[in-house]
Amino acid sequence: MTQTDIKGPKAMFEEFLVDGRFMIQRAISTGEFVFYPRMATRSGATDLEWVEAGGGGTLYAITVTRNRQGSHNVALVDLDEGVRMMSTLPGVETAPIGSRLTARIETGDSGPRVVFDLVEGDRA
């Protein structure tokens, strides 16, 4: 699929998640990966195609928010494809920077989203 499709990049990304697929974009001419879905790369390439993300990543940063209901984290993850995305690591409060992660699609009340789990052996 190319960016000339009727749906915008965000809608396409969300549709892939509903179908259980974690897809990111890559410029055909340069091989540059991009995330968050958009119409062009930073270098201006507009020939973007959708490709399956490998699912691996490394924890770049994490912050934990605590309140009366408990705690949750927000993480920045460097995907193996070279792009960074914001997500969460459910099931753990925090993790060491540099931990290896693997992506999965989690379905909740607000729809599907990409979350990450610690690779076995990297649990803090």
Side-chain angles (χ1 to χ4, degrees):
M1 290 181 198
T2 65
Q3 296 304 49
T4 58
D5 295 329
I6 296 172
K7 295 179 184 174
K10 182 180 179 218
M12 289 296 300
F13 175 72
E14 291 170 350
E15 189 173 296
F16 284 126
L17 289 180
V18 168
D19 291 339
R21 300 174 68 198
F22 176 25
M23 305 289 281
I24 60 175
Q25 296 169 294
R26 177 179 59 200
I28 296 168
S29 58
T30 65
E32 177 184 6
F33 288 94
V34 294
F35 189 85
Y36 197 81
R38 61 190 78 179
M39 299 298 288
T41 67
R42 288 185 183 156
S43 62
T46 58
D47 58 342
L48 300 176
E49 65 179 348
W50 289 97
V51 296
E52 193 95 31
T58 303
L59 184 61
Y60 176 80
I62 190 166
T63 188
V64 179
T65 302
R66 294 178 180 90
N67 57 35
R68 289 184 179 134
Q69 290 77 34
S71 64
H72 70 276
N73 61 60
V74 176
L76 292 177
V77 178
D78 287 338
L79 298 181
D80 291 346
E81 290 82 0
V83 295
R84 184 172 291 153
M85 71 179 290
M86 187 181 299
S87 185
T88 187
L89 283 64
V92 298
E93 183 173 79
T94 191
I97 302 304
S99 295
R100 287 295 297 162
L101 306 170
T102 187
R104 67 180 166 88
I105 298 172
E106 178 180 88
T107 303
D109 294 339
S110 58
R113 65 184 184 148
V114 178
V115 299
F116 288 86
D117 295 313
L118 288 166
V119 171
E120 194 64 36
D122 273 1
R123 192 167 293 272

